[in-house]
């Protein structure tokens, strides 16, 4: 009788089995890195952090909501005829802000309230027109004669209410170290854009305390950051010897950079003419404090702070020339995000290797 062959299971020697396990582990790590690259590439480009935005219209036009076609910025006549005020939602030193409606879309109408500050208002409009990008709130129209600006509406409001927003049940899933670090990256991305803008190196002067900084930015519904208030953006031009001063009053407190404080002691009264000017590195000094607010006190945020310790220490250098650029801070933030996402995805990988 013919015997049927027996199929024996192959037993791998211990050394071969160990090599196979290591090979599988390395393959898994390579796959993880590939997926991580694709994820971060999507985050940096397609999710809206690139300067170029394919959804933006040509200069002088806008798109709103699901509408595909670009419309020209609304004129004085169109604003008066087609925009309906609903309610006042804010008022500052320069303008009053109204939630309004245009063709069944919620929009924001800003109007000058103090005629003595009309130059600030018009400067903000000039900046808004020239800086339209992924980092800046969308302009829908304006009327210089009536000192009126129309912009896109973002229901989550300014960053001052970030923590309250993250405690709403709908958004609690966003309250993680990962999402909070991405907001900090957005913030530094805006500064990098302003420091290398089409108009030159711009300094964010409306930033004398944390609350004031947060009020200048909006939180979008997909949890990104847009700069909204551009009334105080002076230009630094080192080659022409032009530096800036943020206002004509004395600035105090640890939040503002050392070079923004009166340097001659209390025995000499403050005089604007004697106050030395400064550059965009004042914005860098404030980054650690603003990022600390973004990171909050959620699980993992202290680990993020630990990884950012060195770059934040550099931001707090007394000598402005020794502080990093916004681009250098942004590069570090992105590297930390990449590292922490990798470690969170495969904890213990380093020890296994």
């Amino acid at each position: 009788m013919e015997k049927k062959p027996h199929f024996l299971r192959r037993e791998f020697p211990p050394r071969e089995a160990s090599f196979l396990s290591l090979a599988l582990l390395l393959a898994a790590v390579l796959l993880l890195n590939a997926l991580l690259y694709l994820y971060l590439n999507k985050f940096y480009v397609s999710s809206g952090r690139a300067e170029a935005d394919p959804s933006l219209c040509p200069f002088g036009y806008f798109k709103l909501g699901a509408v595909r076609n670009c419309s020209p910025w609304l004129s004085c006549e169109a604003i008066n005829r087609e925009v309906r005020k609903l309610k006042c939602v804010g008022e500052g030193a320069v303008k009053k802000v109204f939630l309004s409606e245009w063709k069944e879309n919620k929009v924001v109408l800003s109007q000058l309230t103090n005629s003595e500050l009309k130059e600030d208002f018009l400067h903000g409009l000039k900046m808004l027109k020239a800086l339209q990008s992924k980092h800046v709130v969308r302009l829908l129209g304006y009327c210089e004669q009536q000192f009126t600006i129309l912009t896109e509406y973002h229901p989550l409001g300014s960053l001052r209410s970030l923590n309250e927003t993250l405690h709403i049940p709908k958004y609690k899933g966003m309250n993680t170290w990962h999402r909070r670090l991405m907001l900090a990256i957005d913030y530094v991305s805006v500064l990098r854009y302003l420091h290398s803008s089409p108009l030159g190196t711009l300094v964010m002067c409306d930033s004398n305390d944390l609350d004031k900084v947060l009020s200048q930015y909006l939180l979008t519904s997909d949890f990104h950051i847009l700069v909204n208030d551009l009334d105080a953006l002076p230009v630094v031009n080192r080659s022409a010897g032009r530096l800036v001063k943020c206002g004509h009053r004395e600035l105090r407190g640890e939040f503002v950079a050392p070079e923004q404080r009166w340097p001659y002691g209390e025995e000499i009264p403050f005089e604007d003419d004697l106050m030395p000017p400064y550059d965009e590195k004042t914005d860098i000094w404030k980054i650690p404090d603003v990022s600390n607010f973004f990171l909050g006190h959620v699980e993992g945020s202290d680990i993020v702070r630990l990884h950012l310790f060195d770059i934040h220490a550099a931001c707090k250098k007394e000598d402005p020339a020794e502080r990093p650029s916004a681009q250098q801070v942004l590069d570090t933030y992105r590297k930390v995000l990449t590292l922490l996402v990798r470690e969170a995805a495969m904890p213990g990988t380093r020890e296994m290797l």
Side-chain angles (χ1 to χ4, degrees):
M1 180 183 289
E2 185 180 353
K3 292 184 179 180
K4 294 181 179 179
H6 294 282
F7 293 95
L8 300 177
R9 186 178 63 183
R10 183 183 177 189
E11 298 290 342
F12 291 100
R15 180 175 297 178
E16 190 175 344
S18 175
F19 177 78
L20 182 61
S21 298
L22 183 60
L24 290 172
L25 177 61
L26 288 172
V29 171
L30 290 173
L31 177 61
L32 172 67
N33 284 336
L35 293 173
L36 187 63
Y37 171 80
L38 291 173
Y39 164 76
L40 291 173
N41 185 63
K42 180 181 179 182
F43 164 62
Y44 292 138
V45 181
S46 64
S47 67
R49 299 306 95 195
E51 259 61 296
D53 178 5
S55 72
L56 287 177
C57 297
F59 183 80
Y61 291 79
F62 71 92
K63 277 193 292 189
L64 193 61
V67 178
R68 290 189 176 185
N69 297 328
C70 294
S71 302
W73 286 338
L74 300 186
S75 63
C76 297
E77 181 184 355
I79 291 174
N80 291 333
R81 185 180 66 249
E82 301 172 11
V83 176
R84 182 170 64 95
K85 290 181 186 177
L86 298 178
K87 63 177 179 178
C88 179
V89 292
E91 184 173 3
V94 178
K95 54 186 176 286
K96 186 178 286 189
V97 180
F98 296 90
L99 174 63
S100 305
E101 191 175 55
W102 175 73
K103 294 187 176 180
E104 300 182 350
N105 293 290
K106 295 287 194 304
V107 293
V108 173
L109 188 71
S110 302
Q111 291 184 318
L112 178 69
T113 54
N114 186 345
S115 59
E116 295 179 0
L117 298 175
K118 62 183 179 182
E119 287 186 11
D120 292 339
F121 185 90
L122 293 175
H123 177 75
L125 173 59
K126 176 186 173 183
M127 295 291 109
L128 192 55
K129 289 193 289 185
L131 298 176
Q132 285 295 288
S133 70
K134 280 285 190 177
H135 304 290
V136 178
V137 69
R138 189 169 301 173
L139 178 64
L140 308 180
Y142 63 92
C143 180
E144 287 193 35
Q145 297 95 313
Q146 298 173 6
F147 297 99
T148 299
I149 299 173
L150 194 70
T151 54
E152 189 174 14
Y153 171 64
H154 293 278
L156 296 183
S158 81
L159 289 176
R160 284 190 296 189
S161 57
L162 174 64
N163 287 324
E164 290 78 2
T165 298
L166 288 171
H167 283 93
I168 297 172
K170 179 180 177 181
Y171 299 111
K172 278 190 175 180
M174 297 287 195
N175 197 16
T176 64
W177 69 263
H178 177 254
R179 178 59 67 172
R180 283 176 170 272
L181 177 55
M182 286 167 64
L183 289 175
I185 288 174
D186 271 5
Y187 168 69
V188 178
S189 296
V190 172
L191 290 184
R192 188 276 310 270
Y193 175 65
L194 294 178
H195 291 179
S196 57
S197 83
L199 300 178
T201 301
L202 302 172
V203 181
M204 196 70 178
C205 266
D206 262 346
S207 57
N208 298 335
D209 57 62
L210 178 61
D211 191 65
K212 187 64 175 174
V213 171
L214 299 176
S215 71
Q216 309 301 303
Y217 296 87
L218 296 172
L219 181 64
T220 67
S221 297
D222 60 349
F223 270 71
H224 285 295
I225 290 174
L226 298 173
V227 64
N228 180 51
D229 196 328
L230 305 174
D231 294 344
L233 279 181
V235 181
V236 168
N237 188 336
R238 285 192 189 82
S239 60
R242 187 198 307 162
L243 300 178
V244 304
K245 287 191 285 187
C246 291
H248 305 287
R249 293 179 293 180
E250 182 178 2
L251 301 179
R252 297 176 179 267
E254 293 299 313
F255 188 83
V256 296
E259 64 270 24
Q260 291 184 282
R261 303 173 210 149
W262 179 243
Y264 302 118
E266 302 226 348
E267 60 275 7
I268 301 177
F270 176 81
E271 246 185 87
D272 185 40
D273 290 341
L274 298 178
M275 180 67 199
Y278 34 82
D279 61 17
E280 79 280 3
K281 291 298 184 74
T282 58
D283 289 334
I284 305 299
W285 170 273
K286 298 158 189 173
I287 287 176
D289 299 291
V290 180
S291 289
N292 187 55
F293 167 81
F294 284 131
L295 292 175
H297 300 285
V298 297
E299 183 180 354
S301 62
D302 286 341
I303 299 297
V304 179
R305 287 185 178 90
L306 184 63
H307 282 277
L308 297 178
F309 180 84
D310 288 342
I311 192 67
H312 282 173
C315 291
K316 291 294 187 179
K317 294 278 190 182
E318 288 286 319
D319 183 355
E322 295 182 6
R323 295 174 205 153
S325 66
Q327 182 65 63
Q328 290 171 317
V329 178
L330 181 59
D331 290 343
T332 301
Y333 275 33
R334 286 174 169 172
K335 287 176 184 175
V336 168
L337 175 64
T338 302
L339 172 67
L340 293 178
V341 168
R342 181 185 292 127
E343 289 185 350
M346 288 194 70
T349 300
R350 187 179 303 167
E351 291 77 3
M352 293 173 70
L353 292 173

